[in-house]
Every structure is written in C-alpha cells, then in structure tokens.
Amino acid sequence: MNLHVINTGFFKLDGGAMFGVVPKTLWQKTNPADDKNLCTWAMRCLLIEDGNKLILVDTGIGDKQDDKFLSHYYLHGEDTLMESIHKAGFSENDITDVILTHLHFDHCGGATVYNKDRTKIEPAFKNAVYWSNEDHWKWASIPNAREKASFLKENIFPLRESGKLEFVGIREETPFRCIDFLFVDGHTDKQMIPVIDYKGKKIVFAADLLPSVGHIPIPYIMAYDTRPLISMQEKEIFFTDAISKDYIIFLEHDPVHECCTIQETEKGFRVKDTFKLKEVL
C-alpha cells in the first residue's frame, strides 16, 4: 500500500462560524483571521494505492460553480485536485473508487465536472465507483434549511444518474480490504470517517469530525454542526480511542498541519504532535 497527500488548494470561511460559541480571543491563537474575520482552510484529500485499487478520499470544492459562488470562499493556492493526482503519478482514469466522507460542497464538489461543451455534469473519474451511505444520501437529497446551502444538487444527483454510486452499509462488512469506517452524526447525518490500516498503523481521515488542530478542545465545535452536543460526545469517544489505539489523525482542513496525535492533559484533550504524513510512512 502507498498513500499520497492530494492538495486541492485553500478557501476561507468565517472564523466565528468555524468555532461556534468559542470567543475569537481564544480561537485566533491557532487560526488567525483576516480583516473580514475570515480564516484560511485547506481542502486536503488522500489517495490510497492498494493493489489493483486506487482510492481517492474526498475531492475538494471543484471548479464548476460560477464566479459569484466561488467569490464567497476566496479560493487560493497553486494546487488543484487533478494536478495533484498527476503529480502523484496517476491520471483521473486510474481512480477506481472515490470515498465521499459527506456531501457538503467542499468535500464532494470535485467529484463531478461539466462535459466539454458544458451541457451536462458528469463524474470526474469515469472508471471509479463513488461511495456514500444510504442514510446520508437521503439526508443530503432532501436537505434541511440549515444545510441546504452546502448540499448542492449539481454535486450530488449526477452521481446517482451515472449509475456509479454505491453505498457503504453501516452495519455491513466494509467493501475495502484496508479501510473501515466510523459513522458520526454531529456535523451532519452519518458522516463517514475512513480508518485506514497501513502497515500496522491506523490512519484516520478525520474530515469534519476534527477539522483542524485548533478544534481539539472538546467545546471547540463548528457552528456548521447540526448537532453540536453530539459532536462533543463523538469527539470525546474518538479522542479516547485515538490515544489508546495510537491513531494518526489526517487533517483535511488544517491550513498548516497534515497530521496530528492526541494526548489527555489536566486541561483536557490537547494536541500531542503534528507532522507530515510522509514522516510516518
């Protein structure tokens, strides 16, 4: 097995929205805001090379939205999804599977693209199976008012229409040799968290269960989370497991740190170490 970090660029979100009830005087220590109160966030994906499978976890925001939509998020950076896949030595046609942790636009937007004459939206990876889970798919297909702006029909429905969408069963055996899943409900219903078995190590793609190192203290919960009290419970259970099972936590949104480990201190859960993924491979 080989793992490749796939960088897709950065975007900006309101700092208050990203940290909920936590005062700016606290969260700005790890994630300083600009003069518009916006913080920079990564959209970091992961490519898993495992035998005859090439598995992409999440796809970033993509580029098919109009300029008005993208202007709200201040996309920047030199990396794109496809360029990073090419830098890793692969083409989009090599991807066999795409795991979508959840269907918010910054996680699944790159999964679909316009065709050449921009008359139809189609899967970006023509040879891949796309994986969600049925409960989350139903949740996203008929969105609640709180998440409606994050579940975009052009990101979601073309996958089903293509015939390439499959579901990971919550209580069934995983379809992958090397990947199990945690299912969490605080951020959105049935978010899938991949747990990768890599040469005796457990590497967890944290998605929005833990967006960044700055979100490690239990009360540091995004205002985007639909069930913040459940998010707090899920973080506590996850961190306890992370410590006892020596999880390496891969951070999708942290603008600086690719990975971290967790420790428990007299002040609660805190970061132990931060490092690049290649340092532990």
PDB file of all heavy atoms in Angstrom, residues 147-168:
ATOM      1  N   GLU A 147     -28.630  23.135   6.227  1.00  0.00           N
ATOM      2  CA  GLU A 147     -27.545  22.623   5.377  1.00  0.00           C
ATOM      3  C   GLU A 147     -27.802  22.803   3.884  1.00  0.00           C
ATOM      4  O   GLU A 147     -26.973  22.399   3.066  1.00  0.00           O
ATOM      5  CB  GLU A 147     -27.320  21.139   5.656  1.00  0.00           C
ATOM      6  CG  GLU A 147     -26.712  20.838   7.007  1.00  0.00           C
ATOM      7  CD  GLU A 147     -26.501  19.345   7.184  1.00  0.00           C
ATOM      8  OE1 GLU A 147     -27.469  18.659   7.578  1.00  0.00           O
ATOM      9  OE2 GLU A 147     -25.382  18.868   6.911  1.00  0.00           O
ATOM     10  N   LYS A 148     -28.920  23.385   3.529  1.00  0.00           N
ATOM     11  CA  LYS A 148     -29.301  23.455   2.119  1.00  0.00           C
ATOM     12  C   LYS A 148     -28.234  24.121   1.259  1.00  0.00           C
ATOM     13  O   LYS A 148     -28.006  23.720   0.115  1.00  0.00           O
ATOM     14  CB  LYS A 148     -30.630  24.196   1.986  1.00  0.00           C
ATOM     15  CG  LYS A 148     -31.219  24.167   0.588  1.00  0.00           C
ATOM     16  CD  LYS A 148     -32.611  24.783   0.551  1.00  0.00           C
ATOM     17  CE  LYS A 148     -33.222  24.692  -0.834  1.00  0.00           C
ATOM     18  NZ  LYS A 148     -34.584  25.291  -0.869  1.00  0.00           N
ATOM     19  N   ALA A 149     -27.560  25.128   1.806  1.00  0.00           N
ATOM     20  CA  ALA A 149     -26.543  25.834   1.024  1.00  0.00           C
ATOM     21  C   ALA A 149     -25.280  25.009   0.833  1.00  0.00           C
ATOM     22  O   ALA A 149     -24.432  25.356   0.005  1.00  0.00           O
ATOM     23  CB  ALA A 149     -26.193  27.159   1.702  1.00  0.00           C
ATOM     24  N   SER A 150     -25.140  23.927   1.589  1.00  0.00           N
ATOM     25  CA  SER A 150     -23.955  23.072   1.472  1.00  0.00           C
ATOM     26  C   SER A 150     -24.185  21.845   0.609  1.00  0.00           C
ATOM     27  O   SER A 150     -23.237  21.280   0.064  1.00  0.00           O
ATOM     28  CB  SER A 150     -23.496  22.626   2.871  1.00  0.00           C
ATOM     29  OG  SER A 150     -23.025  23.723   3.623  1.00  0.00           O
ATOM     30  N   PHE A 151     -25.443  21.394   0.508  1.00  0.00           N
ATOM     31  CA  PHE A 151     -25.787  20.254  -0.335  1.00  0.00           C
ATOM     32  C   PHE A 151     -26.282  20.787  -1.676  1.00  0.00           C
ATOM     33  O   PHE A 151     -27.428  21.206  -1.811  1.00  0.00           O
ATOM     34  CB  PHE A 151     -26.882  19.411   0.316  1.00  0.00           C
ATOM     35  CG  PHE A 151     -26.456  18.652   1.541  1.00  0.00           C
ATOM     36  CD1 PHE A 151     -27.216  18.700   2.697  1.00  0.00           C
ATOM     37  CD2 PHE A 151     -25.306  17.876   1.535  1.00  0.00           C
ATOM     38  CE1 PHE A 151     -26.849  17.987   3.827  1.00  0.00           C
ATOM     39  CE2 PHE A 151     -24.920  17.162   2.664  1.00  0.00           C
ATOM     40  CZ  PHE A 151     -25.695  17.216   3.809  1.00  0.00           C
ATOM     41  N   LEU A 152     -25.417  20.776  -2.674  1.00  0.00           N
ATOM     42  CA  LEU A 152     -25.749  21.328  -3.979  1.00  0.00           C
ATOM     43  C   LEU A 152     -26.149  20.205  -4.921  1.00  0.00           C
ATOM     44  O   LEU A 152     -25.399  19.238  -5.104  1.00  0.00           O
ATOM     45  CB  LEU A 152     -24.555  22.094  -4.543  1.00  0.00           C
ATOM     46  CG  LEU A 152     -23.974  23.188  -3.626  1.00  0.00           C
ATOM     47  CD1 LEU A 152     -22.802  23.884  -4.310  1.00  0.00           C
ATOM     48  CD2 LEU A 152     -25.047  24.193  -3.228  1.00  0.00           C
ATOM     49  N   LYS A 153     -27.307  20.342  -5.545  1.00  0.00           N
ATOM     50  CA  LYS A 153     -27.848  19.258  -6.372  1.00  0.00           C
ATOM     51  C   LYS A 153     -26.916  18.894  -7.523  1.00  0.00           C
ATOM     52  O   LYS A 153     -26.842  17.723  -7.924  1.00  0.00           O
ATOM     53  CB  LYS A 153     -29.233  19.619  -6.894  1.00  0.00           C
ATOM     54  CG  LYS A 153     -29.274  20.875  -7.762  1.00  0.00           C
ATOM     55  CD  LYS A 153     -30.715  21.204  -8.177  1.00  0.00           C
ATOM     56  CE  LYS A 153     -30.760  22.445  -9.054  1.00  0.00           C
ATOM     57  NZ  LYS A 153     -32.160  22.769  -9.454  1.00  0.00           N
ATOM     58  N   GLU A 154     -26.181  19.882  -8.049  1.00  0.00           N
ATOM     59  CA  GLU A 154     -25.280  19.592  -9.163  1.00  0.00           C
ATOM     60  C   GLU A 154     -24.074  18.768  -8.736  1.00  0.00           C
ATOM     61  O   GLU A 154     -23.398  18.159  -9.570  1.00  0.00           O
ATOM     62  CB  GLU A 154     -24.825  20.886  -9.847  1.00  0.00           C
ATOM     63  CG  GLU A 154     -24.079  21.854  -8.950  1.00  0.00           C
ATOM     64  CD  GLU A 154     -24.987  22.882  -8.299  1.00  0.00           C
ATOM     65  OE1 GLU A 154     -26.164  22.558  -8.013  1.00  0.00           O
ATOM     66  OE2 GLU A 154     -24.514  24.013  -8.062  1.00  0.00           O
ATOM     67  N   ASN A 155     -23.782  18.746  -7.437  1.00  0.00           N
ATOM     68  CA  ASN A 155     -22.706  17.900  -6.925  1.00  0.00           C
ATOM     69  C   ASN A 155     -23.178  16.482  -6.632  1.00  0.00           C
ATOM     70  O   ASN A 155     -22.365  15.555  -6.596  1.00  0.00           O
ATOM     71  CB  ASN A 155     -22.141  18.477  -5.618  1.00  0.00           C
ATOM     72  CG  ASN A 155     -21.304  19.713  -5.830  1.00  0.00           C
ATOM     73  OD1 ASN A 155     -20.807  19.950  -6.933  1.00  0.00           O
ATOM     74  ND2 ASN A 155     -21.147  20.503  -4.790  1.00  0.00           N
ATOM     75  N   ILE A 156     -24.471  16.326  -6.388  1.00  0.00           N
ATOM     76  CA  ILE A 156     -24.980  15.080  -5.821  1.00  0.00           C
ATOM     77  C   ILE A 156     -25.686  14.211  -6.851  1.00  0.00           C
ATOM     78  O   ILE A 156     -25.306  13.060  -7.081  1.00  0.00           O
ATOM     79  CB  ILE A 156     -25.931  15.410  -4.644  1.00  0.00           C
ATOM     80  CG1 ILE A 156     -25.152  16.138  -3.534  1.00  0.00           C
ATOM     81  CG2 ILE A 156     -26.589  14.154  -4.116  1.00  0.00           C
ATOM     82  CD1 ILE A 156     -26.033  16.649  -2.414  1.00  0.00           C
ATOM     83  N   PHE A 157     -26.713  14.750  -7.494  1.00  0.00           N
ATOM     84  CA  PHE A 157     -27.573  13.911  -8.327  1.00  0.00           C
ATOM     85  C   PHE A 157     -26.893  13.332  -9.569  1.00  0.00           C
ATOM     86  O   PHE A 157     -27.242  12.220  -9.989  1.00  0.00           O
ATOM     87  CB  PHE A 157     -28.844  14.668  -8.691  1.00  0.00           C
ATOM     88  CG  PHE A 157     -29.710  14.957  -7.495  1.00  0.00           C
ATOM     89  CD1 PHE A 157     -30.002  16.262  -7.124  1.00  0.00           C
ATOM     90  CD2 PHE A 157     -30.201  13.925  -6.714  1.00  0.00           C
ATOM     91  CE1 PHE A 157     -30.778  16.532  -6.003  1.00  0.00           C
ATOM     92  CE2 PHE A 157     -30.981  14.177  -5.592  1.00  0.00           C
ATOM     93  CZ  PHE A 157     -31.264  15.481  -5.237  1.00  0.00           C
ATOM     94  N   PRO A 158     -25.926  14.020 -10.209  1.00  0.00           N
ATOM     95  CA  PRO A 158     -25.259  13.378 -11.347  1.00  0.00           C
ATOM     96  C   PRO A 158     -24.557  12.069 -10.994  1.00  0.00           C
ATOM     97  O   PRO A 158     -24.382  11.206 -11.865  1.00  0.00           O
ATOM     98  CB  PRO A 158     -24.259  14.448 -11.810  1.00  0.00           C
ATOM     99  CG  PRO A 158     -24.891  15.740 -11.406  1.00  0.00           C
ATOM    100  CD  PRO A 158     -25.528  15.446 -10.083  1.00  0.00           C
ATOM    101  N   LEU A 159     -24.160  11.908  -9.723  1.00  0.00           N
ATOM    102  CA  LEU A 159     -23.518  10.655  -9.327  1.00  0.00           C
ATOM    103  C   LEU A 159     -24.514   9.501  -9.393  1.00  0.00           C
ATOM    104  O   LEU A 159     -24.203   8.418  -9.903  1.00  0.00           O
ATOM    105  CB  LEU A 159     -22.939  10.782  -7.918  1.00  0.00           C
ATOM    106  CG  LEU A 159     -21.812  11.797  -7.731  1.00  0.00           C
ATOM    107  CD1 LEU A 159     -21.383  11.857  -6.273  1.00  0.00           C
ATOM    108  CD2 LEU A 159     -20.622  11.438  -8.624  1.00  0.00           C
ATOM    109  N   ARG A 160     -25.712   9.722  -8.875  1.00  0.00           N
ATOM    110  CA  ARG A 160     -26.740   8.676  -8.934  1.00  0.00           C
ATOM    111  C   ARG A 160     -27.153   8.410 -10.385  1.00  0.00           C
ATOM    112  O   ARG A 160     -27.322   7.260 -10.793  1.00  0.00           O
ATOM    113  CB  ARG A 160     -27.946   9.110  -8.087  1.00  0.00           C
ATOM    114  CG  ARG A 160     -29.206   8.270  -8.238  1.00  0.00           C
ATOM    115  CD  ARG A 160     -29.029   6.813  -7.823  1.00  0.00           C
ATOM    116  NE  ARG A 160     -28.878   6.618  -6.410  1.00  0.00           N
ATOM    117  CZ  ARG A 160     -29.874   6.530  -5.523  1.00  0.00           C
ATOM    118  NH1 ARG A 160     -31.125   6.666  -5.935  1.00  0.00           N
ATOM    119  NH2 ARG A 160     -29.633   6.302  -4.258  1.00  0.00           N
ATOM    120  N   GLU A 161     -27.306   9.482 -11.163  1.00  0.00           N
ATOM    121  CA  GLU A 161     -27.735   9.333 -12.555  1.00  0.00           C
ATOM    122  C   GLU A 161     -26.709   8.581 -13.396  1.00  0.00           C
ATOM    123  O   GLU A 161     -27.061   7.927 -14.382  1.00  0.00           O
ATOM    124  CB  GLU A 161     -28.006  10.712 -13.153  1.00  0.00           C
ATOM    125  CG  GLU A 161     -29.212  11.413 -12.520  1.00  0.00           C
ATOM    126  CD  GLU A 161     -29.241  12.908 -12.791  1.00  0.00           C
ATOM    127  OE1 GLU A 161     -28.332  13.406 -13.507  1.00  0.00           O
ATOM    128  OE2 GLU A 161     -30.157  13.586 -12.276  1.00  0.00           O
ATOM    129  N   SER A 162     -25.444   8.654 -13.003  1.00  0.00           N
ATOM    130  CA  SER A 162     -24.380   7.982 -13.762  1.00  0.00           C
ATOM    131  C   SER A 162     -24.387   6.474 -13.570  1.00  0.00           C
ATOM    132  O   SER A 162     -23.772   5.742 -14.355  1.00  0.00           O
ATOM    133  CB  SER A 162     -23.014   8.532 -13.337  1.00  0.00           C
ATOM    134  OG  SER A 162     -22.659   8.045 -12.040  1.00  0.00           O
ATOM    135  N   GLY A 163     -25.060   5.994 -12.532  1.00  0.00           N
ATOM    136  CA  GLY A 163     -25.055   4.569 -12.227  1.00  0.00           C
ATOM    137  C   GLY A 163     -23.808   4.098 -11.508  1.00  0.00           C
ATOM    138  O   GLY A 163     -23.625   2.898 -11.290  1.00  0.00           O
ATOM    139  N   LYS A 164     -22.964   5.044 -11.097  1.00  0.00           N
ATOM    140  CA  LYS A 164     -21.696   4.683 -10.465  1.00  0.00           C
ATOM    141  C   LYS A 164     -21.692   4.885  -8.950  1.00  0.00           C
ATOM    142  O   LYS A 164     -20.659   4.765  -8.306  1.00  0.00           O
ATOM    143  CB  LYS A 164     -20.554   5.493 -11.096  1.00  0.00           C
ATOM    144  CG  LYS A 164     -20.314   5.154 -12.565  1.00  0.00           C
ATOM    145  CD  LYS A 164     -19.177   5.976 -13.139  1.00  0.00           C
ATOM    146  CE  LYS A 164     -18.880   5.571 -14.575  1.00  0.00           C
ATOM    147  NZ  LYS A 164     -18.362   4.196 -14.667  1.00  0.00           N
ATOM    148  N   LEU A 165     -22.846   5.208  -8.388  1.00  0.00           N
ATOM    149  CA  LEU A 165     -22.937   5.442  -6.953  1.00  0.00           C
ATOM    150  C   LEU A 165     -23.264   4.139  -6.229  1.00  0.00           C
ATOM    151  O   LEU A 165     -24.197   3.417  -6.600  1.00  0.00           O
ATOM    152  CB  LEU A 165     -24.016   6.481  -6.653  1.00  0.00           C
ATOM    153  CG  LEU A 165     -24.258   6.807  -5.185  1.00  0.00           C
ATOM    154  CD1 LEU A 165     -23.072   7.561  -4.596  1.00  0.00           C
ATOM    155  CD2 LEU A 165     -25.542   7.615  -5.016  1.00  0.00           C
ATOM    156  N   GLU A 166     -22.479   3.852  -5.190  1.00  0.00           N
ATOM    157  CA  GLU A 166     -22.727   2.694  -4.329  1.00  0.00           C
ATOM    158  C   GLU A 166     -22.750   3.169  -2.880  1.00  0.00           C
ATOM    159  O   GLU A 166     -22.232   4.239  -2.553  1.00  0.00           O
ATOM    160  CB  GLU A 166     -21.647   1.621  -4.512  1.00  0.00           C
ATOM    161  CG  GLU A 166     -21.561   1.047  -5.920  1.00  0.00           C
ATOM    162  CD  GLU A 166     -22.701   0.088  -6.241  1.00  0.00           C
ATOM    163  OE1 GLU A 166     -23.402  -0.325  -5.294  1.00  0.00           O
ATOM    164  OE2 GLU A 166     -22.870  -0.246  -7.423  1.00  0.00           O
ATOM    165  N   PHE A 167     -23.320   2.339  -2.002  1.00  0.00           N
ATOM    166  CA  PHE A 167     -23.438   2.699  -0.598  1.00  0.00           C
ATOM    167  C   PHE A 167     -22.636   1.747   0.279  1.00  0.00           C
ATOM    168  O   PHE A 167     -22.660   0.529   0.076  1.00  0.00           O
ATOM    169  CB  PHE A 167     -24.895   2.676  -0.143  1.00  0.00           C
ATOM    170  CG  PHE A 167     -25.749   3.722  -0.800  1.00  0.00           C
ATOM    171  CD1 PHE A 167     -26.981   3.386  -1.347  1.00  0.00           C
ATOM    172  CD2 PHE A 167     -25.319   5.037  -0.882  1.00  0.00           C
ATOM    173  CE1 PHE A 167     -27.779   4.349  -1.949  1.00  0.00           C
ATOM    174  CE2 PHE A 167     -26.097   6.012  -1.487  1.00  0.00           C
ATOM    175  CZ  PHE A 167     -27.333   5.668  -2.032  1.00  0.00           C
ATOM    176  N   VAL A 168     -21.951   2.324   1.257  1.00  0.00           N
ATOM    177  CA  VAL A 168     -21.300   1.545   2.312  1.00  0.00           C
ATOM    178  C   VAL A 168     -22.365   1.227   3.357  1.00  0.00           C
ATOM    179  O   VAL A 168     -23.007   2.135   3.893  1.00  0.00           O
ATOM    180  CB  VAL A 168     -20.151   2.345   2.959  1.00  0.00           C
ATOM    181  CG1 VAL A 168     -19.549   1.564   4.128  1.00  0.00           C
ATOM    182  CG2 VAL A 168     -19.084   2.682   1.925  1.00  0.00           C
TER     183      VAL A 168
END
